[in-house]
Structure formats: structure tokens, C-alpha cells
Amino acid sequence: MPVDVTATVPVCGIAAEVLHTCLESLCAQDFPTLEILVIDDNGSEKAQKECRGTVQSFIRQHKGNAHAKHITYICQGANMGLVEARRTGAERANGSHLLMVDADDTLVSPEAVSRLYRAAVTMPDGTGFPSPGFDVVQCGSVLTGTDSAAVAERSKTMAPVLQPEVRTVNADGSLEGLFF
């Protein structure tokens, strides 16, 4: 099967149930050609064993799911940081497009990957003719938590870095605009 999108999921210090929720949201996607790479960036053997066990257990539990068949566990061996984990994922990816997902992320819409891919490949420009698409596509995020002060403080560090030709695609598929 040719892969159009590779989701890279760096993991370091994340509880098994959080990673499980992330993988469930990826496996619920309606996008047919999705590959999922779990990049284990845990430093200790115990944490690596737990991460590998979580991924293997998830694959066994979801063996009938087409996406679960395309989950690959990659262990970096040592804690090298998020940037190296993402780089490892990009180097091992088979897809023509990368989806950067953190292990504590949940894609709430089963059409999220399809919508992002459609925006990246071709997006109507208002004339009825398709445009060539975009190099970077960003979607919205929602911070959740029980401590509103902590959530408010965390949101201050999340200002997006927008580059030319970036469109924000909302969960309903609508576009926020073109940013430069």
C-alpha cells in the first residue's frame, strides 16, 4: 500500500493510557493511506519496555483495524530530545507528507487527517480551480485541564509560528485564512 501521510508520535515520559488514547484517535481516522510511527525517546530500559509493551498491546487489541497494521515502534535507545525524535520519524517515514503528533494529542475528528491532507495537496483558491496546495498546514488546538491558571499559563507558550502559505483548518474543515 502506498503511504500518503506518516504520523510521527515522539514518546517520552507519557503514561501508557495517554499514548493509547493518541493511537486510538489516529486509528479512527478515515484517511486510508496512513502510517503511524511511534518514536520512543525514553532514556531508561524500564520506560522503553513499557512504551514498547503499550504499542504491541495496542496493535494486538486492534488487529482488525487497517491503521493498527501500519503502526511501527522505533526505539532511539537514549533520550535525545523531541527534535531528534521528530527527525528520526521524518527519516523513517514512507509517506509523502508528515503529520507531527505529540503522544498526548487526540485528533477529535475522524476526518482530521483527510482535511489536512486535502489542504496540503490542493485547496480551492476561490476561482473554482484547484491551487497547488501548501507546504505547511496547521490545525487548531484546545488546551484542557482542571487547573485553569495552569492551562492559561501554558497557553502563553503556544503561540503558533506561522510561515508563508499556511492555512489554519478548523475541525469543521473551514479555513481561518491565509497568513504571511
Side-chain angles (χ1 to χ4, degrees), residues 34-104:
L34 176 65
E35 169 187 51
I36 303 165
L37 302 181
V38 177
I39 315 300
D40 187 344
D41 192 45
N42 290 299
S44 73
E45 285 184 34
K46 180 181 176 188
Q48 291 169 0
K49 184 177 180 180
E50 181 180 336
C51 183
R52 182 175 40 257
T54 299
V55 172
Q56 290 170 340
S57 173
F58 182 89
I59 292 169
R60 278 193 307 275
Q61 291 172 7
H62 295 82
K63 63 182 173 187
N65 181 290
H67 295 313
K69 296 175 187 173
H70 300 284
I71 297 175
T72 302
Y73 170 83
I74 300 167
C75 183
Q76 294 207 130
N79 181 275
M80 299 171 68
L82 180 62
V83 172
E84 276 304 312
R86 290 199 192 283
R87 184 175 292 128
T88 298
E91 289 170 354
R92 299 281 300 271
N94 293 307
S96 56
H97 293 77
L98 290 175
L99 175 65
M100 303 294 186
V101 179
D102 291 332
D104 61 351

Side-chain angles (χ1 to χ4, degrees), residues 7-42:
T8 62
V9 186
V11 178
C12 184
I14 295 292
E17 58 272 5
V18 174
L19 176 58
H20 191 274
T21 300
C22 175
L23 293 174
E24 278 192 338
S25 77
L26 286 167
C27 286
Q29 294 300 303
D30 67 356
F31 193 78
T33 55
L34 176 65
E35 169 187 51
I36 303 165
L37 302 181
V38 177
I39 315 300
D40 187 344
D41 192 45
N42 290 299

